[in-house]
């Protein structure tokens, strides 16, 4: 049993393998009692929890009370988790605990991506039912606790049982009141081509927040924060992760109050959000996945990796080895024809590559990025015999065929736009701001989604496709829809995301044999919501190996390695002009979902040999990289090096990658201390064949060879004897 309820003390104790989360109902309010290292389920909990909150000297009890889903307007002046306006204009609600339910397993979330169970025994779900008698609002707080993962999935459902419409202005997915403020916040910030930069700062009285107002989760901030003790590091200390399973605008914030408590909350960005709840309607928030680690940041990441790889990602490819691909984007951009593509595929086949991906430029009249999005039929100038013919020619080289699409967009210069100028997100009478000369299709409207579903279904059915790269290359501006009345206009950004999820659900169900990779100008929508439909993501438009060290390191804070797309590209690198050795480019890309994104015909014979070896090596290490436990060893944000190790579940195999950015003169060879190995095992190291004790590798480490030149790298394989 993972959830215990004590009727006497009104305590709910949620337990996973190393974690406890405790809620106590105090005077009808669900209060946050504890979250952290696992506690025994003893009667003493009652003594421990209650007195602190029944402090008679506190004149405004709510303002200091640690709560589970706080409201505004009744004496708590901190950021609330929700706010609802009544038909009479008032914004006061008081949620009172009415009932609870403990459910085996985990119910599905209506229309939203969420972690799941395959067997009822994997988790239990607690549902707390809260009522606001005056308005008829009922709120269900849902907590799923997993027996084998130190994670809780939280979400909230609003149900209207009253008689007059309500307006929800704020509906966050989770709020946790930590009992002190001695914490730091870690998060991932960035920009296009520079995603997932790790930031960490101390919490002080006031707000520390990240958000997106862009309609997508964004390059700028990932929908994730971790709160940790100042002494917590990669391997030690208490770390609390909050990750939102959502692909639209979000807010994650920590507020340190006057009494030095810390309220952490995450959910749909309340900015520009409002939702009308008519009598009988309900509203479901996205899910927040909260992870506790007593073993530092690395422990948190490994919990997210396993949970998201095995119980968020779905479909045939969840557990399958992912193909090594070659993509023609950086090889040709828009300038290609069937012959060129076939020749690149042939060059890929010689190296042992498994999948060819035809990127942007195959449809409409698309010679650059100014036209044709929405016109999903072949450009016969480039592909006179169409996609079927090209796919067959690629298949004849021995590679599978994959295709790029950007279904959420329309170019003003397109047949689709001419026919349906009202089908894009816009506000009538206002400017329609373009980004990359394109507009966003209004996926809040079912007829727009149906059109795209049919257009894509046609291609996916007639062309022998095994892979789709689903791109999305702009943010949402002038958010409005002609398909909805005035009262619903503050719902459009969220309805867009719901519409996207609806379309993805239909397509992935209809085409289960297709591997979908999500992309949004690289990592503009690298979030758990998209991972539910597409088990891998193109991590960044930056393919430079050295930039990628940081981007992939940062992304690995939350996301499993099997989701991180990483390609070898040509030098000088197209984004930064850097010259890096092919070996290093290969080692960085092999640390993710491996592929090439360059004109393979330009390889010299020597380079061909290196690439062949890389492909062969990746095929051998692929299960370890894609499903092994990942430990970060050296942080590229802290200096001149990066290193990580992949360890098999049985700890009998491991693979270390070490990277040195700039060469240094007169340096002794240093030792690299490893992690994740079994101290009892002896490991033989490849390439040198020497045997080491696991204890020795974990404590003293291995000597790194002297590396020569800038941007160098080395790998070691370890096999237990
Ligand atoms: C942005 C993607 O991130 C690139 O990989 C490429 O597919 C281009 N779009 C194509 O327009």
């Amino acid at each position: 049993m993972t959830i215990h309820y004590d009727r006497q003390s009104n305590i709910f104790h949620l337990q996973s393998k190393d974690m406890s989360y405790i809620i106590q109902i105090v005077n009808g309010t669900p209060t946050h009692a504890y979250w952290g290292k696992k506690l025994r389920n003893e009667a003493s909990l009652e003594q421990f929890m209650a007195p602190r909150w029944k402090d008679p000297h506190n004149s405004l009890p709510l303002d200091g009370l640690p709560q589970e889903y706080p409201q505004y307007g009744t004496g708590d002046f901190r950021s609330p988790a929700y706010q609802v306006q009544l038909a009479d204009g008032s914004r006061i609600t008081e949620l009172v605990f009415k009932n609870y339910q403990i459910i085996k397993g985990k119910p599905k979330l209506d229309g939203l991506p969420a972690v799941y169970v395959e067997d009822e025994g994997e988790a239990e779900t607690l549902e707390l039912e809260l009522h606001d008698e005056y308005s008829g609002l009922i709120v269900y707080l849902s907590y799923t606790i997993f027996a084998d993962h130190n994670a809780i999935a939280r979400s909230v459902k609003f149900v209207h049982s009253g008689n007059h419409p309500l307006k929800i202005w704020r509906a966050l997915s989770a709020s946790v009141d930590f009992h002190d403020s001695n914490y730091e916040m870690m998060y991932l910030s960035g920009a296009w081509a520079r995603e997932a930069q790790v930031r960490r700062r101390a919490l002080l009285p006031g707000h520390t927040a990240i958000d997106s107002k862009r309609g997508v989760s964004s390059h700028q901030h990932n929908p994730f924060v971790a709160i940790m003790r100042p002494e917590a590091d990669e391997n030690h200390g208490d770390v609390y992760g909050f990750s939102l399973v959502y692909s639209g605008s979000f807010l994650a914030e920590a507020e340190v109050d006057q009494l030095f408590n810390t309220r952490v909350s995450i959910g749909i960005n309340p900015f520009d959000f409002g939702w009308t709840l008519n009598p009988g309607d309900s509203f479901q928030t996205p899910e927040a996945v909260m992870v506790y680690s007593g073993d530092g940041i690395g422990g948190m990441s490994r919990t997210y990796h396993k949970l998201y790889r095995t119980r968020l990602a779905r479909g045939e490819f969840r557990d399958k080895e992912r193909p090594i691909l070659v993509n023609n984007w950086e090889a040709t951009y828009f300038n290609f024809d069937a012959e060129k593509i076939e020749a690149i595929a042939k060059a890929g086949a010689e190296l042992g590559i498994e999948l060819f991906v035809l990127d942007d430029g195959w449809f409409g009249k698309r010679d650059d990025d100014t036209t044709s999005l929405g016109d999903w039929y072949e450009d016969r100038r480039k592909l006179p015999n169409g996609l079927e013919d090209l796919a067959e020619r690629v298949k004849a080289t021995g590679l599978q065929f994959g295709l790029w699409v950007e279904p959420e967009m329309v170019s003003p210069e397109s047949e689709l736009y001419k026919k349906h100028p009202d089908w894009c997100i816009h506000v009538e009478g206002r400017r329609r701001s373009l980004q990359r000369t394109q507009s966003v299709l209004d996926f809040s409207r079912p007829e727009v989604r149906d059109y795209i579903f049919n257009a894509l279904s046609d291609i996916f059915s007639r062309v022998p496709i095994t892979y789709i790269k689903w791109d999305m290359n702009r943010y949402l501006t002038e958010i409005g829809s002609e398909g909805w009345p005035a009262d619903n206009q503050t719902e459009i950004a969220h309805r867009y995301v719901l519409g996207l999820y609806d379309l993805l659900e239909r397509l992935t169900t209809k085409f289960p044999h297709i591997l979908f990779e999500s992309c949004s100008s690289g990592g503009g929508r690298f979030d758990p919501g998209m991972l539910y439909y597409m088990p891998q993501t193109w991590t960044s438009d930056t393919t430079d190996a050295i930039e990628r060290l940081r981007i992939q390191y940062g992304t690995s804070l939350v996301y499993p390695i099997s989701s991180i797309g990483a390609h070898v590209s040509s030098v000088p690198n197209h984004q930064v002009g850097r010259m890096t050795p092919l070996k290093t480019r290969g080692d960085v890309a092999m640390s993710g979902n491996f592929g090439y994104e360059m004109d393979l015909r330009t390889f010299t014979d020597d380079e061909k040999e290196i690439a062949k070896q890389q492909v062969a090596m990746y095929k051998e290490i692929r299960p370890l990289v894609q499903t092994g436990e990942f430990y970060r060893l050296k942080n590229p944000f802290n200096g001149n090096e990066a290193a990580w190790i992949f360890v098999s579940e049985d700890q009998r195999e491991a693979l270390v990658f070490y990277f040195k950015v700039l060469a240094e003169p007169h340096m002794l060879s240093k030792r690299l201390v490893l992690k994740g190995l079994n101290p009892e095992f002896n490991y033989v190291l490849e390439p040198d064949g020497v045997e080491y004790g696991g204890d020795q590798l974990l404590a003293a480490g291995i000597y790194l060879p002297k590396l020569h030149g800038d941007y160098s790298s080395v790998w070691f394989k370890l096999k237990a004897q």
Side-chain angles (χ1 to χ4, degrees):
M1 201 166 55
T2 41
I3 301 178
H4 309 266
Y5 175 56
D6 180 55
R7 195 167 295 276
Q8 192 95 36
S9 56
N10 250 331
I11 285 178
F12 295 94
H13 186 176
L14 287 61
Q15 281 178 318
S16 70
K17 69 179 160 80
D18 317 298
M19 174 180 95
S20 283
Y21 189 96
I22 304 180
I23 300 163
Q24 187 171 26
I25 309 296
V26 178
N27 302 330
T29 303
T31 60
H32 178 70
Y34 173 81
W35 183 23
K37 197 175 164 60
K38 187 171 188 170
L39 305 179
R40 281 177 287 152
N41 193 46
E42 306 259 320
S44 64
L45 281 182
E46 185 190 355
Q47 306 310 321
F48 171 53
M49 301 303 167
R52 181 190 159 108
W53 306 320
K54 292 186 178 155
D55 178 359
H57 304 297
N58 196 345
S59 56
L60 280 175
L62 278 181
D63 206 26
L65 189 70
Q67 295 161 67
E68 284 294 321
Y69 206 63
Q71 65 214 21
Y72 172 76
T74 54
D76 184 347
F77 300 100
R78 297 167 288 180
S79 288
Y82 78 99
Q83 190 174 29
V84 170
Q85 183 169 10
L86 277 58
D88 63 9
S90 66
R91 281 98 48 226
I92 305 303
T93 50
E94 277 203 86
L95 292 176
V96 177
F97 173 76
K98 269 278 143 28
N99 219 333
Y100 77 94
Q101 233 199 115
I102 294 172
I103 305 159
K104 286 222 163 316
K106 182 173 192 286
K108 276 195 150 190
L109 244 58
D110 262 0
L112 282 163
V115 291
Y116 58 88
V117 294
E118 287 200 328
D119 182 293
E120 274 193 349
E122 290 176 16
E124 272 185 347
T125 301
L126 169 68
E127 214 174 69
L128 300 180
E129 184 180 329
L130 317 177
H131 286 208
D132 177 51
E133 296 296 351
Y134 183 74
S135 64
L137 175 68
I138 303 175
V139 170
Y140 295 92
L141 307 184
S142 167
Y143 303 77
T144 298
I145 178 115
F146 295 84
D148 291 337
H149 305 276
N150 295 317
I152 299 181
R154 282 186 65 174
S155 69
V156 180
K157 188 171 181 172
F158 292 73
V159 176
H160 189 8
S161 72
N163 300 320
H164 307 287
L166 299 173
K167 191 93 180 176
I168 304 176
W169 290 116
R170 183 180 178 96
L172 299 184
S173 300
S175 177
V176 175
D177 282 345
F178 290 85
H179 293 212
D180 67 86
S181 65
N182 188 26
Y183 293 104
E184 295 185 352
M185 187 200 260
M186 182 173 267
Y187 56 96
L188 299 172
S189 75
W192 171 72
R194 202 166 13 88
E195 299 87 341
Q197 308 291 303
V198 179
R199 311 281 177 209
R200 180 172 178 167
R201 57 170 136 144
L203 295 182
L204 293 172
H207 296 257
T208 307
I210 57 162
D211 80 344
S212 163
K213 300 183 188 73
R214 293 167 188 264
V216 293
S217 47
S218 90
H219 297 91
Q220 288 70 16
H221 287 126
N222 198 271
F224 154 80
V225 291
I227 304 302
M228 59 192 75
R229 292 296 186 193
E231 64 276 11
D233 63 15
E234 187 60 28
N235 310 308
H236 313 99
D238 286 341
V239 178
Y240 302 84
F242 295 76
S243 161
L244 189 67
V245 188
Y246 188 58
S247 309
S249 298
F250 74 94
L251 169 71
E253 74 170 344
E255 178 181 6
V256 175
D257 68 22
Q258 56 173 344
L259 303 170
F260 299 100
N261 302 306
T262 305
R263 172 167 294 172
V264 180
S265 42
I266 192 163
I268 294 177
N269 200 335
F271 176 81
D272 204 33
F273 168 82
W275 195 274
T276 299
L277 205 61
N278 287 313
D281 279 2
S282 62
F283 178 80
Q284 173 66 59
T285 73
E287 179 165 278
V289 176
M290 305 178 353
V291 163
Y292 164 72
S293 160
D295 302 320
I297 305 158
M300 173 199 70
S301 297
R302 283 184 291 281
T303 299
Y304 276 125
H305 290 180
K306 190 134 194 212
L307 188 63
Y308 283 179
R309 181 168 60 75
T310 63
R311 292 293 179 268
L312 176 67
R314 300 177 301 166
E316 274 181 25
F317 291 90
R318 185 190 75 182
D319 303 325
K320 269 196 191 159
E321 291 185 19
R322 309 292 167 69
I324 302 173
L325 63 81
V326 53
N327 174 307
N328 71 307
W329 178 241
E330 288 199 15
T332 65
Y333 295 105
F334 296 97
N335 180 19
F336 60 82
D337 57 23
E339 280 62 48
K340 213 189 232 181
I341 295 302
E342 189 182 13
I344 296 175
K346 230 183 222 155
E350 276 173 37
L351 302 178
I353 288 173
E354 298 157 325
L355 165 72
F356 178 85
V357 180
L358 179 62
D359 211 281
D360 196 354
W362 58 266
F363 53 93
K365 295 192 186 75
R366 191 151 161 100
D367 293 328
D368 54 34
D369 61 14
T370 60
T371 75
S372 303
L373 291 165
D375 297 346
W376 297 112
Y377 47 81
E378 293 93 327
D379 182 346
R380 297 276 164 178
R381 298 167 309 162
K382 293 181 192 173
L383 308 176
N385 301 316
L387 280 172
E388 290 101 313
D389 170 70
L390 181 67
E392 290 305 338
R393 285 163 73 172
V394 166
K395 275 175 67 185
T397 69
L399 270 63
Q400 302 158 36
F401 183 70
L403 192 66
W404 177 99
V405 288
E406 194 179 358
E408 296 160 72
M409 296 293 150
V410 61
S411 309
E413 204 182 317
S414 66
E415 297 298 322
L416 182 64
Y417 193 85
K418 268 183 216 129
K419 243 199 207 144
H420 298 290
D422 60 319
W423 271 17
C424 63
I425 295 275
H426 71 282
V427 174
E428 213 24 44
R430 298 278 169 195
R431 174 159 66 106
R432 297 183 183 194
S433 300
L434 298 178
Q435 231 185 308
R436 212 190 187 210
T437 341
Q438 63 198 53
S439 289
V440 182
L441 280 176
D442 183 355
F443 274 12
S444 74
R445 297 171 67 169
E447 65 274 29
V448 180
R449 302 199 298 268
D450 285 348
Y451 175 85
I452 293 295
F453 176 78
N454 291 331
L456 295 182
S457 287
D458 170 54
I459 302 167
F460 297 177
S461 312
R462 73 181 156 83
V463 185
I465 287 170
T466 60
Y467 164 104
I468 285 292
K469 177 176 174 186
W470 182 293
D471 206 349
M472 198 280 186
N473 287 307
R474 62 158 292 176
Y475 309 122
L476 275 60
T477 55
E478 294 93 23
I479 298 177
S481 168
E482 276 194 46
W484 292 87
D487 194 41
N488 298 96
Q489 292 299 313
T490 50
E491 299 171 4
I492 300 306
H494 182 54
R495 286 195 182 276
Y496 175 83
V497 180
L498 294 179
L500 170 67
Y501 290 156
D502 167 63
L503 179 64
L504 292 177
E505 184 69 38
R506 288 163 69 190
L507 284 169
T508 50
T509 307
K510 183 162 179 194
F511 300 98
H513 65 283
I514 294 182
L515 167 61
F516 284 84
E517 174 155 351
S518 136
C519 172
S520 177
S521 301
R525 208 167 49 182
F526 202 138
D527 61 57
M530 295 308 285
L531 277 186
Y532 181 71
Y533 303 97
M534 313 196 188
Q536 55 191 64
T537 307
W538 178 230
T539 315
S540 175
D541 274 351
T542 289
T543 54
D544 173 67
I546 298 308
E547 290 301 313
R548 275 295 188 123
L549 290 176
R550 286 193 295 266
I551 294 170
Q552 291 176 203
Y553 184 99
T555 305
S556 80
L557 238 51
V558 192
Y559 303 102
I561 304 302
S562 59
S563 68
I564 297 179
H567 302 167
V568 173
S569 62
S570 59
V571 286
N573 175 265
H574 291 198
Q575 292 78 40
V576 294
R578 189 177 281 128
M579 300 290 293
T580 49
L582 181 53
K583 163 156 176 55
T584 307
R585 279 178 274 155
D587 287 352
V588 174
M590 278 195 272
S591 302
N593 266 335
F594 186 52
Y596 291 79
E597 183 153 340
M598 57 182 295
D599 192 343
L600 299 173
R601 297 172 305 172
T602 61
F603 269 153
T604 62
D605 286 347
D606 284 352
E607 286 172 331
K608 251 189 221 161
E609 233 5 82
I610 296 175
K612 253 188 208 162
Q613 284 168 20
Q614 288 172 342
V615 171
M617 166 155 162
Y618 193 72
K619 285 180 183 167
E620 186 199 323
I621 63 174
R622 178 159 46 187
L624 191 54
V625 171
Q626 295 183 352
T627 63
E629 296 263 358
F630 181 70
Y631 294 81
R632 291 175 291 258
L633 303 176
K634 292 235 174 236
N635 182 348
F637 292 94
N638 288 348
N640 199 24
E641 301 163 297
W644 38 71
I645 181 170
F646 300 90
V647 184
S648 64
E649 213 168 349
D650 62 6
Q651 295 177 302
R652 304 205 69 85
E653 265 186 89
L655 171 69
V656 182
F657 282 109
Y658 170 85
F659 306 90
K660 183 149 186 177
V661 177
L662 292 181
E664 293 169 299
H666 190 53
M667 276 298 285
L668 284 179
S669 142
K670 294 284 180 204
R671 287 200 288 211
L672 179 68
V673 174
L674 305 185
K675 287 184 209 161
L677 302 173
N678 190 322
E680 306 296 329
F681 292 172
N682 281 347
Y683 293 89
V684 168
L685 198 81
E686 195 188 317
D688 61 7
V690 178
E691 187 167 326
Y692 297 89
D695 55 343
Q696 184 186 347
L697 295 169
L698 289 167
I702 40 167
Y703 273 107
L704 292 164
K706 267 199 143 178
L707 295 173
H708 206 67
D710 291 342
Y711 319 130
S712 52
S713 67
V714 62
W715 54 255
F716 308 94
K717 291 180 193 161
L718 294 156
K719 263 209 167 77
Q721 289 314 290

